[in-house]
Amino acid sequence: MAAVVFSPLDTTLALFIGLVVSVAIVVALLAFSPVVEVRDGELRAGRAHIPVDLLGVPAGVVAEQARTARGSGLDHRAWHVIRGGIDGIVTVPVTDPDDPTPMWVVSTRTPDRLVAAIQRAQVRLRTPGR
């Protein structure tokens, strides 16, 4: 769109501006997209984080189950990090009785890997000597 705006002035300038704007948009999308990871005994999704010892058994879903988890099955009290265009969902119940959030719902391209990472972190915390 930026190239179209400047095309009446000069097509070379318009193409250059269009390229610069396109690169800037891609860089901004990458820089500001939420990162989902399990690190230092915590599940981190965007700016939020929670210790894995306060989480229950995670479940990863894709396809129709994921659409339901993002739609009609979505609990309004849950913590959500849902990104468009990503099919997989991981739901993790929060076991802390003082936390009003019943679960975390996180979109991820690889729900099986996120589930495994959460489970590994939980096992590490429960295993003495680690």
Side-chain angles (χ1 to χ4, degrees), residues 71-90:
S72 61
L74 193 62
D75 187 341
H76 70 280
R77 299 170 301 150
W79 175 256
H80 308 108
V81 178
I82 299 175
R83 297 169 292 168
I86 298 178
D87 188 44
I89 292 285
V90 172

Side-chain angles (χ1 to χ4, degrees), residues 44-111:
R44 298 172 183 268
R47 295 178 301 188
H49 55 91
I50 186 169
V52 294
D53 59 339
L54 298 177
L55 298 174
V57 178
V61 294
V62 292
E64 188 60 37
Q65 291 175 321
R67 282 187 282 285
T68 302
R70 284 190 304 268
S72 61
L74 193 62
D75 187 341
H76 70 280
R77 299 170 301 150
W79 175 256
H80 308 108
V81 178
I82 299 175
R83 297 169 292 168
I86 298 178
D87 188 44
I89 292 285
V90 172
T91 58
V92 189
V94 176
T95 59
D96 183 3
D98 296 328
D99 194 335
T101 306
M103 72 174 53
W104 277 36
V105 180
V106 180
S107 62
T108 175
R109 287 183 178 87
T110 54

Side-chain angles (χ1 to χ4, degrees), residues 3 6-7 9-18:
F6 289 98
S7 64
L9 300 176
D10 182 7
T11 55
T12 305
L13 175 67
L15 289 173
F16 178 74
I17 290 173

